[in-house]
Amino acid sequence: MAMLLSSAGPLASAVARRSMISAPRACIRAPIHSLLHSPVSKIARAVETTLARSRHAKANARGLSSSSSVPPNVDKGVAYWLLGTGGLVAGMVTIGGLTRLTKSGLSMTDWKVQGSLPPTTHDAWMVEFERYKLFPEWQQRKSMTLDEFKYIFYWEWGHRMFGRVVGVAFTGPLIYFAARGRITPQLRGRMALLFAMGGSQGLVGWWMVRSGLNEKDGGWVKEGQSREIRVSPYRLASHLCMAFSIYSLLLYTAFDVLYPKATQLSLASVPPKIAAKLPALRASAAGTAGVVFVTAMSGAFVAGNDAGCAFNTWPDMDGQFLPDAAVEGQLTPAWRNFFENTALVQFDHRMLAYSSIGAVATTYALARRGNVWAVLPMPTKVAMNGLVGMVTAQAALGISTLLMYVPIELAACHQAGSLVLLSFATLGAHSLRAVPLAAGAPIAAAAAGGAMAGGAGMVLSK
């Protein structure tokens, strides 16, 4: 071989050496190539592919998109603006409650759309104080000093000005988002309604205050009782009902933006036995929200009649389940007793509170039965757990407020707690809105529709 290489010249020698070096590499590659294409390798790859498809199918069943867990077409800027405005409204309601509890609501005897600055000099304060003395409430508070008047004046002034802040916080971004084309056609009607409700809330508030400043009849006075000057409980309830309605609508609209209906709980991937139980859960969740709202409104009549300052025992009412005063009401027509009779107003509020507890317990039990909980989206689970925790806290606050003769701090927390409870109830009802209320054919139709509309997106929405 050496002789042949030497005789063949340098070029032939180099070629021979390269072939001798590459021969072992070819020997190594051949077994590897055969191993990669062996039947065992093909089986392993098939198993891996099957497992990957299984994982993908499970993800879709849980409502997770293969590309992203964020629903499409979600304008978080609009949603967070609505949630923020809702938070301001909640703050406004809490300040309003404190204004009432400190008996400050009648300290400002006029109202201007644009508002005004408080007095800044002693003379200006004296002018405002003298104006206050012209109205009926002064007859019960003649020992009030100027500093005491300033205290209640600032509460009412702060409440009114905070309302104007809420108006600016809603209207400014609304103009911006509308100019940018981010208010969808589906939201325009809702935005117009919210604007109208917010704008009229100030008028409703002044209408309420006027009932306590009415010089013609000396202020609103409860029939058959001492001449305690206060605003009309009917107007107070109207003012609070408007505030709670605005808050609920802001919250519900924000949830509409964050969780589009097409991405919410679908029956397409839910087993039939579980699907048959969901309509009852949706109905119960909606009913719970309604009962919580009505209970909060009955609290306005408790506040408007100072009913929390009577029958300060629990679970009985001064030793009775239903006090004699509740059934011996002498107001005419008889329906007025439900809104002005102190005993009956407090009794109604207690019964509605028990109804709220029962509604929450029923809804939670329906959510937990069988395998329903496993298919519920996270917002529904948060709402259910929040309802149970908050209704317990709210009941404890209400009982404590009653037994301790309505301390301002507890009473304000009790009112704020009603907003938190309503928030969880609203979230729970909204998160189930895509579930049909009827069983059978509507469920099948909804399942088919959900399969087509949500096949590429989330099946269970946050």
Side-chain angles (χ1 to χ4, degrees):
M1 173 66 76
M3 293 177 64
L4 289 171
L5 288 174
S6 60
S7 61
L11 181 60
S13 176
V15 172
R17 281 196 299 270
R18 181 171 295 179
S19 64
M20 292 172 65
I21 294 172
S22 61
R25 294 178 180 173
C27 294
I28 294 172
R29 283 197 300 268
I32 293 175
H33 184 270
S34 61
L35 179 62
L36 291 174
H37 291 80
S38 66
V40 175
S41 178
K42 292 180 179 179
I43 293 172
R45 286 198 299 273
V47 170
E48 183 179 358
T49 301
T50 302
L51 291 175
R53 290 176 179 174
S54 177
R55 286 193 297 269
H56 182 71
K58 289 180 179 180
N60 283 337
R62 294 190 184 101
L64 301 176
S65 172
S66 60
S67 58
S68 172
S69 61
V70 179
N73 301 323
V74 172
D75 193 333
K76 290 187 176 181
V78 171
Y80 294 158
W81 157 59
L82 292 170
L83 289 173
T85 306
L88 290 175
V89 171
M92 178 73 175
V93 172
T94 303
I95 294 173
L98 287 166
T99 301
R100 179 189 56 78
L101 289 164
T102 55
K103 299 185 183 300
S104 305
L106 300 177
S107 58
M108 293 182 69
T109 57
D110 61 351
W111 182 77
K112 299 176 182 177
V113 174
Q114 75 279 9
S116 61
L117 294 174
T120 56
T121 65
H122 177 75
D123 291 341
W125 274 113
M126 288 303 299
V127 169
E128 195 68 42
F129 195 21
E130 291 301 322
R131 183 184 296 119
Y132 171 72
K133 293 179 181 180
L134 299 175
F135 291 88
E137 189 178 53
W138 168 250
Q139 303 304 316
Q140 298 174 340
R141 312 179 77 171
K142 289 185 177 181
S143 61
M144 180 185 294
T145 65
L146 179 60
D147 286 339
E148 290 172 337
F149 173 71
K150 288 181 180 180
Y151 176 78
I152 64 172
F153 184 93
Y154 274 124
W155 268 113
E156 176 65 11
W157 181 83
H159 178 55
R160 295 187 186 189
M161 295 309 295
F162 195 82
R164 293 179 174 91
V165 170
V166 175
V168 172
F170 177 79
T171 306
L174 174 62
I175 295 172
Y176 170 79
F177 287 128
R180 303 276 296 185
R182 293 170 64 177
I183 303 298
T184 63
Q186 294 79 9
L187 291 180
R188 289 171 188 167
R190 199 87 58 87
M191 294 300 104
L193 178 60
L194 283 167
F195 183 82
M197 292 174 70
S200 62
Q201 178 69 331
L203 294 174
V204 174
W206 175 240
W207 176 64
M208 174 192 71
V209 170
R210 286 280 297 175
S211 66
L213 298 176
N214 193 332
E215 299 178 46
K216 183 177 180 181
D217 58 13
W220 195 89
V221 183
K222 287 187 67 174
E223 231 177 79
Q225 298 190 18
S226 61
R227 294 180 61 82
E228 175 70 24
I229 304 300
R230 55 167 66 95
V231 298
S232 164
Y234 299 98
R235 299 188 187 188
L236 174 63
S238 299
H239 192 46
L240 187 67
C241 181
M242 180 75 82
F244 270 63
S245 298
I246 292 171
Y247 175 78
S248 301
L249 189 57
L250 282 167
L251 213 60
Y252 200 90
T253 305
F255 294 152
D256 275 352
V257 177
L258 280 176
Y259 313 124
K261 191 171 184 179
T263 66
Q264 287 188 311
L265 180 62
S266 168
L267 301 181
S269 61
V270 178
K273 289 185 178 180
I274 298 178
K277 299 175 181 179
L278 291 179
L281 175 59
R282 182 196 171 189
S284 183
T288 297
V291 172
V292 167
F293 188 91
V294 173
T295 303
M297 293 308 99
S298 76
F301 286 97
V302 173
N305 290 280
D306 284 339
C309 297
F311 306 98
N312 300 97
T313 60
W314 187 84
D316 60 90
M317 295 179 68
D318 286 353
Q320 296 179 288
F321 173 72
L322 178 62
D324 294 335
V327 295
E328 295 174 355
Q330 312 207 347
L331 298 177
T332 54
W335 60 262
R336 288 179 55 197
N337 288 283
F338 288 96
F339 305 102
E340 298 178 42
N341 182 308
T342 298
L344 192 54
V345 165
Q346 189 187 126
F347 178 80
D348 291 343
H349 189 60
R350 291 189 184 205
M351 295 304 105
L352 285 168
Y354 298 149
S355 299
S356 294
I357 295 172
V360 169
T362 300
T363 302
Y364 193 75
L366 290 173
R368 281 291 188 178
R369 65 173 176 166
N371 296 319
V372 173
W373 188 262
V375 304
L376 294 179
M378 187 55 65
T380 309
K381 294 179 180 179
V382 170
M384 296 299 124
N385 289 330
L387 277 171
V388 171
M390 197 59 220
V391 79
T392 304
Q394 184 69 344
L397 280 170
I399 295 169
S400 300
T401 301
L402 179 69
L403 296 179
M404 297 178 70
Y405 202 76
V406 196
I408 292 177
E409 299 82 4
L410 281 179
C413 288
H414 187 51
Q415 180 170 306
S418 65
L419 279 171
V420 178
L421 183 61
L422 182 62
S423 301
F424 283 122
T426 303
L427 176 60
H430 183 276
S431 65
L432 295 168
R433 64 178 179 146
V435 175
L437 287 172
I443 290 182
M452 291 186 292
M458 292 175 31
V459 180
L460 299 180
S461 171
K462 286 187 177 182

